[in-house]
Amino acid sequence: MKNLFLSAVIILITTVSISAQYNFAGKIRDYKKYDNRVELILDNARVNVYVYGNNIIRFRYTDKKDFSKAPSYAVTYELPAKTEFTFSEDKNSLSISTGELNVKITKNPCRVSIYDSNKNLINADDESFGVSFNNGEVRCFKKLLDGESFYGLGEKSGDLRKNGNEYVLWNSDYPSYTNRTDALYQSIPFFYGIRDFKAYGIFFDNTYKSRFNFGASNNRFYWFGAGEGEMDYYFIYGPDMKKVLSSYTQLTGRMELPPMWALGYQQCRWSYYPESTVETIANTFRAKKIPCDVLYLDIHYMDGYRVFTWDRNRFPDPAKMIGGLKEKGFKLVTIIDPGVKADTNYFAAREGVKKGLFAKYPDGTLYQGEVWPSWAYFPDFTKKETRYWWGDNLSILMKQGVEGFWNDMNEPAVWGQNFPDIVQFDDNGFKADHKKIHNVFGLEMAQATREGLKRYSDSRHLILTRAGFAGIQRYSAIWTGDNASTEEHLSLACTMPLNMGISGLPFIGTDVGGFIGDASQRLYMRWMELGVFTPFFRQHSAYGTKAKEPWTFGEDIEYAVRDMINMRYQLLPFLYNEFYNASKTGMPIMRPMFLNYQNDRECYNQQAQYQFMVGENVLVAPVLTENSDFKKLYLPEGNWLYIKTGTVYNGGQWIILEVPLNTIPVFVREGGIIPMQEIQQYVGEKKIEQTEIQIYPSAKSSYTLYEDDGISYNYEKGSYSLTNFTCEKKDNGLNITVKKEKDGYKGDRKNYLFKIYFAQKPSAVKAGGGILNEKDSSESLAQTGGYYYNSNDKILYIKTADTGNMQIDVNF
């Protein structure tokens, strides 16, 4: 009995000790209302509730004496000095109301519940737990509501739906990852909750190693938290997912417009060297007439892996070589790793040490980690002076003609995968250790790169990064790291860009064909088909693998790949327009089905994650299995034109298509308008004097085409044009209206070629009031203009001069 009693006491003491470690947000003792926030004093914490707008409210908790003064690395949007909201109090709670949200905060204990304007519950703290503090760790526990699904978190390799799983956000170099690997290269602590087709978002602004548990191993709550730092999160309401994403990117920034050449095909390998190999690759692309805009140099171009240098044995005259590539239309992008070789004879190491620009141990000794150049220093990119110095050194390569930089190994990765937590960084003057800075190291390196490029050049350039944090879209394109030549990774090449797109990262892609391992002909071809519609389109392969250039898989694959890449170049006006939209709204170019069709239950089906929308009206359904020639896909409401055959399918159904190799199912929704152009071997090869406008008419549809010079920043000063195309069905025909909404840029276009999918031959076509002549073939139409109706394909072609504003009347 005595032993039993002692055991019970020990269990009781242990239980009390464990629960005591979790200090849950307690009773509200006092509060104060300001023009843009409400400050709460708890018996064990401080809480600030900031109203950023009608649908954005920030909740910030700390158990310290005061909040950190260090600025956010992710959020660039400033809290307005005054926002519209009402505040009230009753016996048990405080209430904050905007035009769209009603926030109820109970006083004892402090717990948050959020309702829409109709008093429907959207989100709520778990009543017992809420926010907790535990020896520096912070967590927020939320009720797991019936029917709620979760999406987002950036670079994750599993399904789009995140329910029942826990995820870690800690930038990690993980080659040949699988669909169950976690964590990966990017950390984006932003997710959606969707219930009854209504969406909200939560952005957890904490750079420390964090976790997100969406009901893994319990059915009561979901939670998110970090090992250190504050519980600082933004609640963003839709209920439309697009509004949530637009608001999130309003907070964290949106992408710059890239140069148009960055949308072209890009060829890479670890590694192309010496110089003669690079020239052979370039010459082969042009000889075989396979379009390509960018070639990459991996680590072997450097002198002993020293950044900002060249191996002069392999590349004796870099400027001359790059000049020759430019004459052929190629832009050169070089890899840049952050590790600076610890070599006293190396200028970058000497400068960095002298100026105090490298990360240090707490005792002031410079940290050295082992990477490609052996032992290396690591720049402290959280220090303004370091970022400026880095940009200055990049200018060495820019002056030789390099057009972009590929930031790699910037998680940061070191051999052994254990960058010491105690290493110190400047943290913009606030001082921090590696635990806080690890996840933003790549973000700050990208910022340094972008700032350097803009300081030394008036042209747009390409920056590509492997690692990043929320806000990385402001500076860089992203690729999904070291994938593999497997069928699993072909599927991931579809789902991962979709997940990253809804996480605020529109300029995203994968290593087409797989980086590690050797791709079969069919796997390579299917991947190329998908790559055409992926925002960032680059083929890359690892050292020691078989070559993966388009001509290395035999003539049949070479010709098929050329056809696919040709399609990409024809679609450049359409794709560039989607990049413009992304820069203005934050919307992804490549979208999961449920982003466009949020109220369609079938679009959340697991199978539907293997197809996607490009913009609003183009549906792409790639074959993602190596040996299959069939594709099951879902068509949402509306009528859908299958471009390959001209067949129209009714929406609201799943269909199965036969899809031979060198075919990718592409559908245009009724009302879709798609601008296209002729094939080029590279962007800028020749003047584009004709724009093709493909139209699948609905009762009335509209499309606005953005155009600029594709290379300079003059568009920021108003040098761009917006042209609106409207197509409207009438009882006796069609009206097409072309209207210049802004005329700040004049390109080389002389003509439009309208390609209209319509089942009836017209009796007459007028343009600008004049009657157009009917032609008997597309060849004669191309020579003199007019119109031609292909009765077999049921397509009406109209060629007319670009006169600015005009109206075309098609009579039946």
Side-chain angles (χ1 to χ4, degrees), residues 59 68 73 260 266 378 391 399 443 471 474 519 536 552 585 658 701:
F59 298 89
S68 169
Y73 284 97
M260 185 175 280
Q266 308 185 30
F378 280 77
K399 290 172 183 177
L443 172 71
R474 301 193 298 263
F536 177 67
T552 61
T585 67
E658 186 174 5
S701 56

Side-chain angles (χ1 to χ4, degrees), residues 670-673 695-703 724-738 754 756 758 796 806-812:
E670 187 176 32
I673 299 176
I695 303 175
Y696 176 27
S698 61
K700 187 174 183 179
S701 56
S702 182
Y703 182 88
N724 180 262
F725 299 86
T726 301
C727 181
E728 186 173 7
K729 287 183 179 180
K730 299 293 186 180
D731 291 340
N732 62 341
L734 292 172
N735 287 346
I736 300 171
T737 303
V738 181
F754 293 91
I756 306 165
F758 210 73
L796 171 63
M806 72 168 112
Q807 180 166 315
I808 299 172
D809 298 308
V810 180
N811 298 318
F812 297 110

Side-chain angles (χ1 to χ4, degrees), residues 2 43 59 67 69 83 219 263 437 459 522 717:
K2 184 177 180 181
D43 53 15
F59 298 89
F67 293 100
K69 298 294 192 296
T83 49
N219 61 0
L263 278 61
I437 302 306
S459 297
R522 290 185 63 89
K717 304 172 185 176

Side-chain angles (χ1 to χ4, degrees), residues 6 21 139 249 340 455 498 584 640 749:
L6 288 174
Q21 291 177 5
R139 292 188 184 186
T249 56
V340 176
R455 207 161 55 241
L498 294 179
K584 291 297 183 183
W640 295 86
R749 180 171 51 245

Side-chain angles (χ1 to χ4, degrees), residues 402-416:
V402 173
E403 294 282 357
F405 296 105
W406 164 25
N407 292 347
D408 197 16
M409 301 288 288
N410 55 341
E411 290 72 32
V414 290
W415 302 158

Side-chain angles (χ1 to χ4, degrees), residues 156-158 174-182 184 482-484 486 488-489 492 496:
K156 296 299 175 186
S157 59
Y174 203 117
S176 196
Y177 49 89
T178 72
N179 62 8
R180 297 179 63 85
T181 302
D182 188 61
L184 290 174
D482 295 346
N483 62 0
T486 66
E488 177 186 40
H489 273 272
L492 292 176
M496 289 180 69

Side-chain angles (χ1 to χ4, degrees), residues 2-15:
K2 184 177 180 181
N3 290 336
L4 182 61
F5 175 76
L6 288 174
S7 298
V9 170
I10 292 170
I11 292 171
L12 177 62
I13 292 172
T14 304
T15 303

